[in-house]
């Protein structure tokens, strides 16, 4: 399948931030570009704004002056939809309302040729539904760019139920020719990124609602232990609480109230109060001029324990004994105080990787959270029951990680903690999506790395953590919360069992 020829005109309908960004991408790639907006004068304003962006690219030496001048000559505002008649591709970036989009594309179908590709940039509506009223629905496809479109590389190429595979292929290759990284996906609520990313927000908000930790601490743990670029609270303040909550609610409703996608009541109250994030001056955080950013909870210094005993397989935390030895702390091998997996501290308490259980049910145990890389992590979270976990055990666990050069945040007795339950749920939704042929495993990993800057794709994470890690943690969480939110998907269970059988026959 080949991309559209660069001589083919491309139209963008809707000249807000996203429309301007898409137009700039097509323009810099070499296409003649038409801009149309239903509001008189907006298209010309958008053309001027794009011209100013091109000037900035020249000033930054990312575009030559000659290429800028040629691009400007190819950019034409359109006063009427009829001016788009010769276009080979029309991309829509208008209001996220089904009726508005359907009316637009029905009108376009009477203007453009039957071989013109029609594309929607919708992030929340069904591509199938938008194109359902068309006379030639096979040439209709979703082209979901991410904001800002000129900078972010990912484009989700979404095939509706009626989309012709050849048309989807041409859209895919055109996005690639524009310098983007396209991923092919089926028309499912949230597509790839907005479907699989829901737990990143949902689990952070749930920890807050359970009063396990405050937003600043959750964000710090996600960044400094989990390796995420931003925490969930600061990211939704940047996106806009109303926008993020609307996407969550749309995915939840589209899946007929599936409990795995349930919106957060705390976020709903934030939206209702008008605290929408940076754009309103306040969201989870105060963004007013000079307002201090709250610091995460960080434990006071504690002495390092004299020794620890490795009791069983540490799984994803297998590198810890070497780090502990390098810090000058004696590491002893062998069970010390009963079965289980973890580290036994000098006072007899146990330090165990988060597995979905709580400290209160295990007695003298402190859990530590999953880290992307325990060598480079700058913060580690510990979870303990404030009423029953001995202070000595918390202090020894804190001192141990501080001796490794980590900041320590002690949170409440939250099953699965923060990073572990978030990553497990992301992995589960990814396996479920791949099994349903929403997208390939490779495209899902690519989408999550490029679309939301995850440090690893879900399948990369799964391979690193072990074939049964996510299923086991989620199954344990499901025992404690049988609502279905944490129930491992059939796809994840099949993967765990199949991998186990393959490994047993080697």
């Amino acid at each position: 399948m080949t991309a559209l020829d660069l001589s083919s005109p491309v139209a963008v309908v809707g000249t807000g931030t996203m429309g301007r960004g898409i137009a700039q991408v097509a323009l810099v790639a070499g296409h003649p570009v038409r801009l149309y907006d239903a509001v008189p004068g907006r298209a010309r304003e958008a053309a001027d704004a794009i011209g100013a962006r091109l000037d900035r690219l020249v000033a930054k030496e990312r575009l030559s002056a000659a290429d800028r001048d040629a691009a400007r000559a190819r950019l034409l505002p359109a006063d009427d939809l009829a001016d788009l008649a010769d276009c080979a591709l029309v991309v829509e970036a208008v209001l996220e309302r089904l009726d508005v989009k359907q009316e637009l594309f029905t009108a376009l179908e009477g203007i453009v040729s039957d071989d013109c590709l029609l594309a929607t940039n919708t992030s929340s509506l069904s591509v199938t539904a938008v194109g359902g009223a068309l006379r030639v629905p096979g040439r209709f496809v979703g082209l979901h760019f991410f904001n800002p479109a000129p900078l972010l590389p990912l484009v989700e190429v979404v095939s509706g139920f009626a989309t012709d595979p050849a048309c989807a292929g041409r859209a895919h290759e055109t996005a690639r020719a524009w310098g983007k990284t396209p991923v092919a996906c089926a028309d499912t609520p949230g597509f790839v990124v907005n479907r699989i990313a829901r737990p990143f927000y949902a689990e952070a908000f749930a920890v807050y609602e359970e009063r396990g930790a405050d937003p600043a601490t959750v964000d710090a743990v996600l960044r400094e232990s989990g390796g995420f670029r931003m925490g969930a609270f600061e990211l939704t303040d940047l996106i806009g609480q109303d926008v993020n909550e609307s996407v969550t609610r749309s995915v939840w409703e589209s899946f007929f109230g599936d409990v795995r996608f349930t919106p957060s009541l705390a976020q709903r109250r934030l939206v209702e109060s008008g605290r929408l994030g940076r754009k309103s001056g306040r969201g989870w955080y105060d963004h007013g001029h000079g307002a201090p950013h709250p610091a995460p909870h960080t434990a006071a210094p504690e002495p390092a324990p004299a020794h620890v005993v490795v009791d069983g397989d540490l799984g994803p935390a297998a590198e810890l004994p070497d780090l502990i030895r390098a810090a000058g702390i004696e590491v002893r091998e062998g069970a010390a105080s009963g079965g289980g997996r973890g580290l036994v501290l000098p006072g007899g308490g146990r330090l165990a990787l988060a597995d979905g259980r709580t400290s209160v049910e295990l007695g003298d145990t402190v859990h530590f959270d999953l880290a992307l890389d325990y060598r480079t992590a700058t913060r580690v979270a510990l979870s303990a029951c404030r009423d029953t976990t001995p202070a000595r055990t918390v202090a020894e666990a804190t001192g141990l990680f501080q001796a490794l050069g980590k900041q320590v945040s002690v949170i409440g007795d939250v099953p699965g903690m923060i990073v572990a339950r978030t990553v497990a749920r992301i992995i589960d939704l990814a396996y479920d999506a791949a099994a349903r042929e929403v997208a390939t495993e490779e495209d899902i990993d690519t989408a999550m790395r490029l679309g939301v800057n995850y440090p690893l794709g879900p399948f990369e994470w799964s391979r690193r953590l072990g074939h049964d890690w996510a299923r086991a943690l989620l199954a344990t969480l499901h025992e404690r919360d049988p609502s279905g939110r944490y129930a491992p998907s059939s796809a994840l269970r099949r993967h765990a069992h199949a991998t186990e059988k393959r490994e047993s026959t080697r």
Side-chain angles (χ1 to χ4, degrees):
M1 192 58 59
T2 58
L4 291 176
D5 189 273
L6 289 180
S7 64
S8 302
V10 172
V12 177
V13 178
T15 58
T17 300
M18 185 58 77
R20 294 180 186 188
I22 296 170
Q24 180 180 329
V25 170
L27 189 66
V28 172
H31 287 273
V33 174
R34 313 270 196 273
L35 283 173
Y36 175 78
D37 198 291
V39 179
R42 287 266 179 92
R44 296 187 183 279
E45 290 176 9
D48 291 341
I50 293 170
R53 290 182 183 178
L54 298 180
D55 288 340
R56 289 194 291 272
L57 291 178
V58 172
K60 294 177 181 178
E61 299 183 346
R62 296 177 183 172
L63 187 71
S64 71
D67 286 342
R68 174 201 58 196
D69 294 343
R72 279 181 164 170
R74 294 194 302 271
L75 181 61
L76 296 174
D79 295 322
D80 193 279
L81 277 179
D83 297 335
L84 313 184
D86 64 338
C87 289
L89 167 65
V90 180
V91 184
E92 162 273 317
V94 302
L95 190 66
E96 283 286 273
R97 275 181 44 188
L98 179 61
D99 59 335
V100 172
K101 294 179 187 292
Q102 287 181 328
E103 182 179 351
L104 168 65
F105 283 112
T106 300
L108 282 168
E109 229 183 1
I111 295 169
V112 300
S113 64
D114 283 357
D115 59 356
C116 172
L117 285 176
L118 298 178
T120 175
N121 184 58
T122 185
S123 61
S124 60
L125 298 175
S126 162
V127 171
T128 302
V130 175
L134 295 182
R135 176 174 49 81
V136 187
R139 42 88 171 265
F140 189 75
V141 67
L143 279 179
H144 181 216
F145 289 77
F146 288 74
N147 193 31
L151 298 180
L152 293 186
L154 183 69
V155 177
E156 292 177 319
V157 181
V158 187
S159 292
F161 276 32
T163 301
D164 184 332
C167 292
R170 174 156 289 191
H172 189 280
E173 291 310 304
T174 297
R176 190 189 303 280
W178 291 359
K180 297 303 180 182
T181 302
V183 296
C185 63
D187 184 20
T188 185
F191 309 142
V192 175
V193 172
N194 280 331
R195 172 181 178 144
I196 296 173
R198 294 349 290 164
F200 179 73
Y201 313 108
E203 294 310 308
F205 298 161
V207 170
Y208 167 76
E209 289 174 331
E210 294 165 21
R211 296 301 183 259
D214 61 278
T217 299
V218 173
D219 280 351
V221 171
L222 286 169
R223 289 194 314 270
E224 300 172 38
S225 182
F228 292 96
R229 185 75 59 86
M230 298 179 74
F233 294 93
E234 58 190 342
L235 180 56
T236 53
D237 264 5
L238 175 64
I239 295 169
Q241 298 302 331
D242 52 339
V243 174
N244 182 261
E245 201 247 3
S246 176
V247 172
T248 299
R249 185 169 294 276
S250 173
V251 172
W252 175 62
E253 291 174 346
S254 296
F255 276 114
F256 308 106
D258 188 329
V259 69
R260 295 176 301 167
F261 302 102
T262 302
S264 162
L265 180 59
Q267 188 180 38
R268 173 95 292 258
R269 293 292 179 259
L270 208 65
V271 173
E272 289 173 340
S273 69
R275 297 185 176 187
L276 306 182
R278 292 188 183 184
K279 63 185 177 183
S280 70
R282 185 159 189 168
W284 295 110
Y285 300 112
D286 186 349
H287 298 280
H289 180 70
H293 191 83
H297 169 75
T298 302
E302 297 286 354
H307 69 270
V308 296
V309 179
V310 178
D311 186 7
D313 179 12
L314 295 179
E319 61 193 321
L320 278 181
D322 287 343
L323 298 180
I324 295 169
R325 289 189 188 95
I329 298 172
E330 181 185 359
V331 177
R332 302 173 183 174
E333 302 290 341
S337 59
R341 299 192 306 176
L343 300 172
V344 181
L345 299 164
R350 183 177 293 274
L351 183 59
L353 179 63
D355 61 3
R357 295 181 293 177
T358 56
S359 292
V360 69
E361 63 189 280
L362 296 176
D364 193 359
T365 298
V366 171
H367 286 104
F368 64 97
D369 208 351
L370 180 69
L372 175 68
D373 184 340
Y374 286 101
R375 294 181 183 275
T376 59
T378 57
R379 183 178 298 271
V380 171
L382 302 178
S383 176
C385 178
R386 296 181 179 92
D387 297 325
T388 63
T389 306
R392 177 200 67 244
T393 303
V394 176
E396 289 179 344
T398 299
L400 175 64
F401 280 106
Q402 288 173 338
L404 304 185
K406 318 299 182 188
Q407 301 268 43
V408 175
S409 293
V410 181
I411 69 172
D413 195 11
V414 178
M417 300 192 67
I418 299 170
V419 180
R421 71 199 250 182
T422 299
V423 170
R425 287 206 59 215
I426 289 170
I427 289 172
D428 182 63
L429 289 186
Y431 274 99
D432 182 59
R436 296 174 186 274
E437 298 185 350
V438 172
T440 66
E441 292 186 6
E442 181 181 1
D443 274 358
I444 289 172
D445 274 353
T446 298
M448 301 314 291
R449 285 196 314 270
L450 299 184
V452 277
N453 289 312
Y454 283 4
L456 294 174
F459 297 99
E460 293 173 313
W461 234 319
S462 179
R463 288 189 290 272
R464 175 184 288 199
L465 295 171
H467 71 272
D468 199 38
W469 177 83
R471 186 212 60 80
L473 187 141
L474 290 173
T476 304
L477 285 171
H478 180 57
E479 291 175 1
R480 286 145 186 80
D481 176 6
S483 65
R485 179 187 181 103
Y486 300 103
S489 67
S490 297
L492 185 62
R493 291 197 302 270
R494 284 196 301 270
H495 162 74
H497 292 313
T499 306
E500 184 177 358
K501 287 183 178 180
R502 283 197 301 269
E503 292 181 348
S504 67
T505 59
R506 288 179 181 174

